[in-house]
């Protein structure tokens, strides 16, 4: 028997936004691999082994998943959101590149609803024009690259989505990011803090860069910034399709 | 009875990537509104009225949907992909802004799998690092803004996704976009043409900017461009999480 590796997106948290193809892949899996809180979302059943691992071991987890698939198992690596957006899909291909005898493993990536699009939907359509997605963590890139991207993205007048804006180990960088964005975009620009979107802990704040405070974000928050035309209508926030 | 307006994403084409919350909203709708090929995906049933309209009438369609909801109907506006990404959600809020007596309508946006993430999943993880999404149509913005955004996005070393790259009415602009990207990124940069992704007509080409030809795209194609680190491993394309 030939094994398979599926890298599946569980969406932002609510079961009603998991796609049927992901549900089906989980139903026939022999092994589910992932970060502890995501594996905790998968119900146990006979014939299924759950492999929950800690954060920051993505490459080791990916290699283990590839090895099990190469040994004939039906493995599903679970990510929250979309696996291709700051999640496990890249780690799987990095692990494959580092381990040439695993290059032949059959890998399928199944998309999911990523946090920025779930958050955008909750408030209206703030990403309704050209936009970018930036991971604010400097675990895997120098902070200088982040600062440069923020300035260029502002000059391009992209709406923006920020993943991993702030953690206990690096509390000051998000404050610096907000300073840069205020410089480039001015204090009136709309910004949205969406915490634990679609879950029972969801909390969404719509404010301006002038009023934004770093403490409004944590690691479960995705932050959306409007472009120069983003506005409010009724209780919604949207970015027009037409450029100013 | 108070009506509601749901703006729902049908995903890129395959029924197995429609979320359960969208399926549920369609099951209780009294009216489904949208562009002809998207409404054609909704099965007829007693009690449901289908309102299929042509392309380029988005605002009129959105106003009609809001008016029906204000009159007490349960209306679903269908988009392909995600309604918040170059689709109907912004048009609905634009229509609301233009029609103050409709500002009170209860609108819910339900996210879907957008084409760039479906395409990325099919080839690996080309959007696995910071990226941007640009609509290449100049129906709603001057072409000069597109050119400026392409250059700034390349200077920021974003991976990129391009929607509406090319149509019969504007065949030359995509050639110009490829020229700009070759200038900024060089001929070796990986580019992916994903036509009708997830459908039976799916056709995916992975090549380089040096080999890319405008005819590789049409209006059913989403185009993905790697960043400076994007590479191939086995038959997959991925962008490492780590910045170069």
């Amino acid at each position: 028997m030939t094994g398979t590796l599926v890298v599946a997106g569980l969406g932002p948290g609510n079961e009603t936004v998991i796609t049927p193809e992901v549900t089906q892949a989980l139903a026939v899996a022999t092994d589910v691999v992932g970060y502890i809180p995501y594996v905790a979302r998968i119900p146990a059943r006979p014939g299924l082994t759950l492999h929950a691992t800690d954060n920051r071991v993505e490459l080791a987890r990916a290699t283990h998943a590839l090895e099990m698939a190469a040994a004939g198992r039906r493995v599903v690596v679970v990510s929250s959101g979309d696996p291709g957006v700051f999640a496990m899909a890249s780690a799987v291909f990095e692990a494959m590149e580092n381990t040439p005898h695993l290059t032949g493993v059959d890998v399928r990536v199944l998309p999911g609803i990523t946090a920025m699009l779930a958050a955008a939907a909750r408030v209206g359509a703030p990403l309704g024009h050209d936009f970018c997605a930036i991971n604010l963590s400097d675990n895997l890139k120098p902070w200088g690259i982040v600062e440069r991207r923020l300035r260029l993205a502002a000059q391009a007048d992209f709406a923006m989505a920020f993943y991993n804006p702030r953690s206990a180990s690096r509390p000051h960088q998000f404050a610096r990011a907000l300073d840069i964005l205020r410089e480039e975009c001015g204090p009136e620009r709309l910004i949205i803090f969406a915490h634990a979107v679609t879950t029972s802990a969801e909390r969404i704040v719509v404010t301006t860069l002038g009023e934004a405070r770093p403490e409004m974000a944590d690691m479960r928050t995705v932050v959306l910034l409007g472009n120069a035309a983003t506005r409010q209508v009724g209780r919604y926030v949207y970015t027009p399709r037409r450029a100013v």
Side-chain angles (χ1 to χ4, degrees), chain A:
Chain A
M1 174 194 153
T2 310
T4 56
L5 177 56
V6 169
V7 190
L10 298 180
N14 191 312
E15 306 308 306
T16 65
V17 292
I18 299 181
T19 67
E21 71 175 6
V22 167
T23 301
Q24 177 57 23
L26 289 166
V28 299
T30 59
D31 299 83
V32 168
V33 178
Y35 178 39
I36 296 160
Y38 308 147
V39 174
R41 293 173 57 186
I42 311 303
R45 61 170 166 76
L48 174 66
T49 306
L50 299 174
H51 308 261
T53 48
D54 205 353
N55 213 349
R56 300 216 180 177
V57 296
E58 288 86 358
L59 271 185
R61 181 193 298 151
T63 306
H64 179 220
L66 284 164
E67 284 169 344
M68 287 194 291
R73 312 282 294 175
R74 288 189 303 276
V75 183
V76 177
V77 172
V78 287
S79 265
S80 78
D82 183 287
V85 179
F86 310 127
M88 281 301 294
S90 276
V92 165
F93 296 110
E94 283 174 48
M96 181 183 275
E97 193 174 43
N98 293 343
T99 321
H101 74 275
L102 298 173
T103 307
V105 171
D106 179 42
V107 177
R108 269 198 317 145
V109 180
L110 304 184
I113 302 295
T114 185
M116 67 177 169
L117 297 182
R122 295 301 258 188
V123 297
L127 302 178
H129 194 82
D130 300 340
F131 67 94
C132 64
I134 300 178
N135 186 343
L136 291 186
S137 167
D138 69 344
N139 287 341
L140 294 162
K141 66 190 164 198
W143 178 250
I145 288 187
V146 176
E147 293 204 2
R148 180 175 154 76
R149 279 190 188 141
L150 292 175
R151 291 195 190 277
L152 288 164
Q155 288 158 24
D157 198 23
F158 281 123
M160 303 184 206
F162 304 121
Y163 285 73
N164 303 316
R166 191 162 175 266
S167 74
S169 63
R170 45 183 184 84
H172 304 300
Q173 292 175 340
F174 184 56
R176 175 75 187 133
L178 289 177
D179 286 342
I180 290 169
L181 294 168
R182 266 187 292 266
E183 271 176 50
E184 297 284 343
C185 307
E188 302 305 317
R189 183 65 57 91
L190 288 171
I191 186 168
I192 297 144
F193 293 86
H195 173 86
V197 65
T198 81
T199 75
S200 58
E202 178 178 290
R203 193 174 64 244
I204 296 181
V205 173
V206 177
T207 185
T208 62
L209 275 177
E211 299 293 324
R213 296 292 167 263
E215 306 75 50
M216 292 176 177
D218 62 20
M219 283 306 277
R220 293 187 71 195
T221 307
V222 65
V223 179
L224 306 180
L225 184 75
N227 75 9
T230 303
R231 63 190 75 183
Q232 290 181 287
V233 55
R235 58 188 178 82
Y236 308 102
V237 179
Y238 88 100
T239 302
R241 300 165 303 152
R242 195 174 291 275
V244 284

